[in-house]
Amino acid sequence: MCGICGVFSLGEPLGDRDRAEHRGMTRILRHRGPDQEGVIERGDFALGSTRLKIIDLTDQAGMPMSNEDGTVWITYNGEVTNFLELRRRFRLDERHRFRTSSDTEVLLHLYEDLGLDFVRELSGMFAFSLVDTRRRKAWIVRDFYGIRPLFFMHAGDRLYFSSEIKSFLHLDRFEDRIDHEAIYHYFSLAYIPDRLTPFEMVRELQGGWLLEVDLDTRRFEEREYYTIEYIPDRSLDEATATRRLREEMIDAVERNLISDAPLGMTLSGGFDTSSMLSIIRFLGRSKDLHTFSIRVDEPSYDESRWQHLMADFAGTRHHEVVVNPANVAEVFERHMAYMDEPSGDGAAIPTWVLAEDAKNYVSVLLSGEGGDEVFNAYETHVAWKVRNLYRRHVPKPLRDVIRKTAHRLPTDYRKLSFDFLARRFTAGAELDVPDAHFSWRHSLSAAEKAALMPDHHHYRRTETFFSDLYYSLDWEEELNRLSLVDIKYFFIGDLMVKNDRMMMAHSIEARFPWMDRILIEFASTIPPELRIKGLTRRYLQKQAMRDLVPDAIYRRNNMGLEMPHSLWFEGALRPLASKYFQRDRVERTGFLSFDTVDRMWQEHLGHRKDHGRSLWCILNFLAWFDLFVYEKSYKSYYP
C-alpha cells in the first residue's frame, strides 16, 4: 500500500521547477507510505511513490519499478490479491527474471505479456500509473470499484495525478476555487459524488475508469474500461447458490490474508465482520489474530456485547477502543486535515481512533465494508420492498394521514428511533424507486440547501445522480439497479473516502474481502429474490455462513457504525459546534447563510427538530474550509 503521484507533459518538457514540485507532491504523501520513497523523472513524465511495505519487505520491491530493460515503469498503490495465482497461470517465471516477490512486479510482467487488458485479470484493489516508453503511451488506472483513491488535475500543458487532493495544493498552476456544485451535493449526501471534488480544478477518477496519455500527440482520454453487470443466473437454486457463495466468500478471505507485514481485522460485531472472522477461524488462522473494535460511549450505539462474543469465539487478541465526545473533539480538526474533503460520515473519527490504536500492533486491517452493498443488507433495501407492498395495499388518502402523523411524532435523538424511521419511510414511499432511495439517505433537503446556500442552489437536483444511473440500466430487477447505485455513489464517495484517509493517516492498509472482484462477479449473478428473501436482508449470505457463525450473531440485526451527533451536540460537543457556528466563521465562507445555520442549531438544541446529521455535515465543511481555503493550516497537522 502506498501513496502515488505523477505529472505528464502535454507540451514543453518537464523542467527543474516541475521536478521540484513533483518531489513535493510525493513528500506530502509520506503518511501513506513511510517505509520507502522513490521518484523517476524523464523529460515527459515523472512518477512518485511513498511505500508502506506489506508484500516483500525488501527495498528491492520499492517504486517506481521498471521491467528488466527499463522501458516500462509503474507506480502502484494497492494489493492485487490473486497475484500469486496469476504469476503461476501465465507462467511469468518462464519469460521474465523476477527480482522481487511483490505483486508490483507481477503487474509489470503481465502488462508486457498481455498489454493493458491484463487489468481485467486482477482481483483486489489498485490504483496505478504505467508508462511504456517504447509505445510512448501511459495510463492512470483506478480499480473496478473505486477502493483505492485517484485524483487528477489538468492545468495548461501538464496533467497531474495523485492518491490525495493535497498533493496539488502547492503547485504553481493550482487555483483554490471552490466547486460550489460539489458542496451543494455534499450537503444532501454527506459526501461529494461522482467525479466532483471540493476544488474546481481537481477531478476524481471513477472506479473502473482510466486515463490514457499519448506522449507523442500530447493528448489524453478518460474512459471506462470495466462495467459492473448484474445478470441473474436463473439456473441457480437456493442450495447451489448457497454452496457456491460460501466457497467464494472463503476464497476471498483467504486471498486477503496474504501479507508479509502484521495483519489484523476490524470487528464491529455485525454480520459482515463476524462472518469474516468466522471464516478465518474455520481456516485455522484466528488464534492470536489482533481484532479491533469501537465501543461508542452511548448505550443505544454500543455493540460491544457482540464484539466480545466474536472475539471469545475465535480466540483473538482483542482490543477495544472507546469513542466519546472528548476524543472526538480532540481529533476533530486533525482528522479533517487528512480527509482532504468535507465528509459527514459519522464513522470517520471512530475509524481514526481505531487506526491510531491498531498501528501499535499491525500494518494491515481486514474490514467488512462492502458487505452491505454486495449482500443487500441495508435498511433501504428492505424499505424498497416494503414501499412496493405499502403502495399496493394502502390507499393514498390513508398514506397521507400516516405521513402527517409520523411528522408530528416527538423527536427522539436515540439511534434509528421510531420517529426518525417513520418520517423517512412515509415521505420516501411516495416517490419513485430511485428518488425514494435517495430520500431515505439524504442529509439536508432541497429547501434546506436553498436556504443554506441562497446564491448557489441552481444546480441539478442531487437525486438525479441516483435516478440518471438507475434509469440508464436496462436490467429488469429494481434491486440490482439500486445495488449499483449504492456501489457507484455511497461506497466510492463515502465509505472508501472514510476508510482510506483515516487508515492511511496512520499508515495502515485496509482490505475489503467482500469487494474482491471474483466474489462480486459471482454474487451479482444471484437472483435478487435469494439475496433478500421475504423481508430478510442478506438472506443468502446468512445461509452460506449458517454453520460457521454463532447463533446469536446469526439472529441479530445490524446497527452500523455511527456517532450520536444529535445527543452529543446537546452536551460535550456543544462547545466545538458553537465555536464553528458563530457568525464570522459561517460568513467568511462567502456563500453559507449564518441565519440558516443558527436557526437549525437553535431548533436542534430546543428539540424542535433533529438536525444532528445535517449539523455534523455543516460543522465538517466549516472545519475543512478553514483548513484548506481560509487559513490553509492543514500543513500544520503533518509531521
Side-chain angles (χ1 to χ4, degrees):
M1 190 63 67
C2 306
I4 62 171
C5 64
V7 56
F8 291 97
S9 170
L10 305 178
E12 293 297 316
L14 301 182
D16 290 343
R17 179 61 182 168
D18 293 298
R19 286 186 280 273
E21 286 191 331
H22 175 252
R23 291 168 191 164
M25 292 176 69
T26 306
R27 281 193 299 273
I28 204 165
L29 299 174
R30 60 186 174 271
H31 57 282
R32 300 184 66 90
D35 297 331
Q36 195 174 3
E37 184 175 317
V39 296
I40 176 67
E41 296 167 339
R42 296 290 187 265
D44 44 17
F45 74 91
L47 304 177
S49 166
T50 59
R51 182 182 174 219
L52 178 64
K53 294 180 178 179
I54 302 296
I55 302 291
D56 189 335
L57 305 185
T58 69
D59 286 348
Q60 279 289 100
M63 291 175 288
M65 182 183 289
S66 73
N67 62 345
E68 295 98 323
D69 63 6
T71 56
V72 181
W73 288 89
I74 190 171
T75 187
Y76 159 62
N77 169 27
E79 295 294 342
V80 169
T81 56
N82 63 338
F83 78 101
L84 292 175
E85 191 274 331
L86 293 174
R87 182 170 174 170
R88 288 191 298 269
R89 175 152 60 96
F90 289 101
R91 299 180 177 179
L92 297 181
D93 291 273
E94 296 178 9
R95 290 182 297 280
H96 301 280
R97 185 181 71 255
F98 276 82
R99 295 162 293 175
T100 75
S101 59
S102 69
D103 52 340
T104 310
E105 194 169 10
V106 171
L107 302 191
L108 272 173
H109 297 320
L110 282 172
Y111 167 76
E112 290 185 286
D113 289 2
L114 305 178
L116 196 66
D117 285 344
F118 84 89
V119 177
R120 300 176 184 276
E121 303 290 340
L122 308 181
S123 195
M125 54 186 183
F126 52 86
F128 66 81
S129 181
L130 186 147
V131 181
D132 187 333
T133 61
R134 295 166 300 185
R135 294 183 58 196
R136 303 286 296 156
K137 295 277 190 180
W139 295 271
I140 304 167
V141 184
R142 191 176 186 188
D143 63 53
F144 317 117
Y145 314 116
I147 300 173
R148 305 318 306 154
L150 206 49
F151 300 90
F152 67 96
M153 184 180 88
H154 178 209
D157 62 352
R158 298 290 185 262
L159 176 65
Y160 304 89
F161 72 89
S162 178
S163 297
E164 296 189 7
I165 294 171
K166 63 174 61 68
S167 278
F168 307 120
L169 305 189
H170 75 284
L171 300 174
D172 285 345
R173 297 168 188 249
F174 176 76
E175 299 173 13
D176 65 353
R177 295 187 304 273
I178 290 179
D179 190 326
H180 293 100
E181 181 178 4
I183 303 306
Y184 175 79
H185 298 310
Y186 159 75
F187 283 125
S188 281
L189 296 167
Y191 60 88
I192 295 176
D194 206 62
R195 301 172 70 253
L196 300 172
T197 79
F199 295 111
E200 286 185 2
M201 291 193 71
V202 180
R203 287 295 171 254
E204 182 171 359
L205 191 63
Q206 286 297 283
W209 284 68
L210 60 78
L211 294 172
E212 181 174 314
V213 184
D214 189 313
L215 296 174
D216 285 332
T217 65
R218 312 293 176 88
R219 298 178 183 275
F220 71 94
E221 175 191 11
E222 184 179 2
R223 71 171 187 271
E224 189 174 25
Y225 73 88
Y226 178 87
T227 56
I228 303 171
E229 297 286 347
Y230 282 83
I231 304 175
D233 181 354
R234 297 295 174 186
S235 70
L236 282 174
D237 57 40
E238 183 173 320
T240 303
T242 300
R243 175 182 55 79
R244 290 191 56 193
L245 181 60
R246 176 190 175 101
E247 292 169 354
E248 296 294 356
M249 291 175 69
I250 292 171
D251 286 349
V253 171
E254 192 164 21
R255 283 194 299 275
N256 278 273
L257 290 172
I258 298 171
S259 176
D260 295 326
L263 178 147
M265 68 169 288
T266 63
L267 180 61
S268 70
F271 199 81
D272 285 320
T273 57
S274 295
S275 58
M276 190 179 300
L277 182 55
S278 295
I279 289 172
I280 295 173
R281 178 180 180 269
F282 171 77
L283 293 171
R285 305 273 300 270
S286 65
K287 292 296 182 183
D288 297 326
L289 179 77
H290 288 277
T291 51
F292 301 87
S293 293
I294 295 165
R295 179 170 67 81
V296 178
D297 194 14
E298 205 289 314
S300 65
Y301 288 68
D302 183 3
E303 296 187 85
S304 58
R305 168 192 171 190
W306 315 104
Q307 297 159 358
H308 288 295
L309 183 157
M310 281 303 306
D312 291 344
F313 172 71
T316 67
R317 295 185 180 185
H318 191 58
H319 308 264
E320 181 177 271
V321 181
V322 178
V323 174
N324 55 43
N327 51 33
V328 170
E330 180 184 357
V331 306
F332 176 69
E333 290 170 350
R334 186 171 180 82
H335 107 282
M336 185 51 63
Y338 281 86
M339 189 70 80
D340 277 17
E341 57 188 295
S343 169
D345 190 316
I349 289 180
T351 303
W352 169 287
V353 175
L354 182 148
E356 188 173 41
D357 182 69
K359 188 58 183 176
N360 295 317
Y361 307 94
V362 300
S363 295
V364 180
L365 281 175
L366 271 61
S367 166
E369 295 279 34
D372 289 338
E373 285 78 8
V374 174
F375 304 120
N376 294 114
Y378 285 123
E379 291 87 351
T380 51
H381 296 161
V382 171
W384 154 76
K385 292 197 78 170
V386 175
R387 168 198 173 275
N388 294 344
L389 296 170
Y390 180 67
R391 288 170 63 103
R392 187 179 307 134
H393 297 294
V394 180
K396 180 68 162 62
L398 181 54
R399 298 203 308 267
D400 290 341
V401 172
I402 295 172
R403 185 176 71 255
K404 291 174 183 176
T405 302
H407 282 71
R408 288 196 292 267
L409 291 171
T411 299
D412 183 345
Y413 288 173
R414 287 176 297 179
K415 186 169 186 177
L416 296 178
S417 61
F418 176 75
D419 67 294
F420 171 81
L421 295 174
R423 291 190 188 103
R424 282 291 170 110
F425 176 76
T426 56
E430 300 307 314
L431 305 173
D432 65 4
V433 172
D435 284 357
H437 196 64
F438 169 83
S439 175
W440 293 326
R441 285 187 175 275
H442 82 276
S443 182
L444 276 75
S445 69
E448 289 170 330
K449 287 195 302 182
L452 181 64
M453 300 176 64
D455 298 324
H456 296 279
H457 61 271
H458 55 278
Y459 305 107
R460 63 184 284 194
R461 295 183 306 121
T462 305
E463 50 265 51
T464 61
F465 282 101
F466 287 22
S467 58
D468 286 355
L469 175 57
Y470 180 90
Y471 288 119
S472 73
L473 303 167
D474 60 2
W475 307 336
E476 179 182 350
E477 297 83 1
E478 292 178 340
L479 182 62
N480 286 341
R481 298 195 227 176
L482 293 177
S483 298
L484 184 62
V485 168
D486 282 344
I487 291 174
K488 285 290 190 181
Y489 292 111
F490 183 61
F491 179 77
I492 295 177
D494 185 322
L495 298 183
M496 289 302 97
V497 173
K498 168 196 70 181
N499 278 279
D500 176 79
R501 307 306 184 278
M502 298 299 91
M503 291 289 186
M504 292 306 288
H506 299 93
S507 307
I508 286 185
E509 171 182 300
R511 294 185 185 175
F512 311 95
W514 303 148
M515 292 302 294
D516 232 41
R517 176 187 60 81
I518 298 168
L519 169 62
I520 290 180
E521 289 183 351
F522 171 70
S524 63
T525 68
I526 298 170
E529 59 271 20
L530 292 180
R531 302 206 306 273
I532 298 180
K533 191 170 184 178
L535 297 180
T536 302
R537 293 175 280 158
R538 63 167 88 245
Y539 173 77
L540 205 69
Q541 181 197 21
K542 283 197 164 188
Q543 293 303 104
M545 294 291 104
R546 183 68 182 88
D547 65 337
L548 292 185
V549 301
D551 286 343
I553 296 295
Y554 181 82
R555 293 192 302 267
R556 73 161 299 207
N557 290 321
N558 277 15
M559 292 173 60
L561 178 60
E562 186 66 84
M563 283 196 309
H565 319 106
S566 298
L567 289 167
W568 288 357
F569 274 145
E570 296 182 295
L573 285 187
R574 186 168 179 171
L576 175 68
S578 295
K579 180 180 80 170
Y580 277 95
F581 294 158
Q582 293 177 17
R583 181 180 292 275
D584 64 323
R585 291 268 193 166
V586 176
E587 290 187 343
R588 69 194 190 189
T589 65
F591 61 91
L592 295 189
S593 163
F594 168 74
D595 290 341
T596 300
V597 174
D598 189 58
R599 173 183 57 77
M600 294 174 67
W601 182 227
Q602 299 308 322
E603 285 178 350
H604 185 82
L605 295 178
H607 267 249
R608 295 190 296 277
K609 189 174 181 181
D610 183 358
H611 289 297
R613 189 166 185 241
S614 299
L615 288 168
W616 184 250
C617 289
I618 294 170
L619 177 64
N620 277 269
F621 172 76
L622 292 171
W624 173 85
F625 180 83
D626 278 2
L627 286 165
F628 287 91
V629 180
Y630 188 77
E631 296 174 348
K632 299 187 187 330
S633 56
Y634 69 94
K635 294 179 184 178
S636 65
Y637 291 96
Y638 287 84

